[in-house]
């Protein structure tokens, strides 16, 4: 198999590209699109986002210590891209993209109502890394759109049309090819009675 070896660079794909909403007191809320975002701890639930100092949002995050991560769907992709190429210094991104502020329960910054999942976050630590500062945050609360709850109370996130970002391009998630632990799961009818581990890493 022929391979090419490249100098160091970011090639961990696909990743979520999320719309991060934030707001300084008395100002209009802003949205920054962030691809360098991730889950970093299950308990307490913690996430990270990495943001350049040059971003208008950087100062809002530093000042307020909070933000909302809004997951991106196929319908929201154009808005996510726009929020990633225009600055809140120059435009009102909620207004330009016809997005609706969703009041948060635990923090002052609003989420985006059109997103199926809004994750309210409180910043615990800011770690300068180089080009980006990493904002390490604890999840303060999560809002989900109830049209994706089925009759058994299961959240059907796969129905939301979530989008992934890979090497400069946006993709809607496609066909399901497995589920957590399926590689070792016993065939139906031969259950061991053991409690299934949660798919939380
Ligand atoms: C798909 C995508 C992913 C991005 N990921 C990041 C990121 O992880 N961190 C960052 O600082 N900027 C990222 N950006 C760039 C910012 O979203 C962009 O500079 C934005 O205009 C900043 O808005 P603001 O000045 O209103 O904060 C990304 C842009 C796009 C389109």
């Amino acid at each position: 198999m022929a391979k090419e070896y490249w100098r160091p660079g970011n090639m961990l794909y696909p990743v979520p590209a999320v719309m991060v909403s934030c707001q300084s007191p008395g100002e209009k809320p802003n949205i920054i699109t962030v691809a360098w975002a991730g889950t970093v701890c299950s308990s307490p639930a913690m996430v990270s986002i990495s943001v350049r100092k040059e971003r208008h949002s950087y100062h809002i995050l530093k000042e307020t210590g909070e933000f909302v991560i809004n997951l991106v769907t196929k319908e929201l992709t154009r808005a996510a891209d726009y929020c990633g190429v225009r600055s809140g210094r120059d435009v009102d991104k909620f207004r330009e993209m016809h997005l609706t502020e969703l009041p948060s329960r635990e923090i002052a910054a609003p989420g985006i109502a059109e997103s199926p999942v809004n994750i309210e976050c409180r910043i615990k630590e800011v770690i300068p890394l180089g080009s980006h500062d990493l904002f390490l945050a604890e999840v303060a609360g999560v809002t989900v759109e109830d049209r994706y709850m089925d009759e058994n109370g299961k959240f059907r996130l796969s129905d939301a049309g979530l989008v992934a970002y890979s090497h400069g391009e946006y993709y809607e998630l496609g066909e399901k090819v497995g589920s957590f632990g399926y590689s070792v799961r016993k065939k139906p009818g031969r259950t061991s009675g053991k409690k299934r581990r949660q798919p939380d890493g």
Side-chain angles (χ1 to χ4, degrees), residues 180-200:
F180 181 86
Y182 84 106
S183 60
V184 294
R185 202 166 299 143
K186 299 247 183 340
K187 298 273 182 306
R190 293 201 289 146
T191 49
S192 66
K194 272 194 206 150
K195 193 172 178 289
R196 238 207 305 154
R197 278 179 52 217
Q198 290 300 302
D200 68 356

Side-chain angles (χ1 to χ4, degrees), residues 6 37 70 86 110 114 118 127 135 142 148 163 169:
W6 290 355
N70 304 276
R86 287 284 177 270
E114 287 77 7
N118 320 95
I127 305 171
F135 292 82
V142 178
Y148 299 117
V163 162
E169 291 164 340

Side-chain angles (χ1 to χ4, degrees), residues 103-117:
S104 296
R105 290 225 186 159
E106 297 293 331
I107 64 173
I112 301 171
E114 287 77 7
S115 166
V117 178

Side-chain angles (χ1 to χ4, degrees), residues 51-54 127-134:
V51 178
R52 286 183 188 261
K53 285 197 178 67
E54 297 86 342
I127 305 171
L129 298 175
S131 59
H132 292 64
D133 279 10
L134 182 138

Side-chain angles (χ1 to χ4, degrees), residues 17 30-36 50-52 55-57 81 83-89 93 132 165 170:
N30 192 38
I31 305 168
I32 172 173
T33 299
V34 171
W36 297 168
S50 287
V51 178
R52 286 183 188 261
R55 310 301 185 219
H56 179 62
S57 304
D81 186 67
C83 293
V85 294
R86 287 284 177 270
S87 178
R89 280 185 205 100
K93 300 188 204 181
H132 292 64
Y165 180 68
Y170 308 99

Side-chain angles (χ1 to χ4, degrees), residues 6 9-17 35-36 164-169 171:
W6 290 355
N10 291 111
M11 198 39 73
L12 177 64
Y13 290 120
V15 291
W36 297 168
Y165 180 68
S166 187
H167 202 34
E169 291 164 340
Y171 293 89

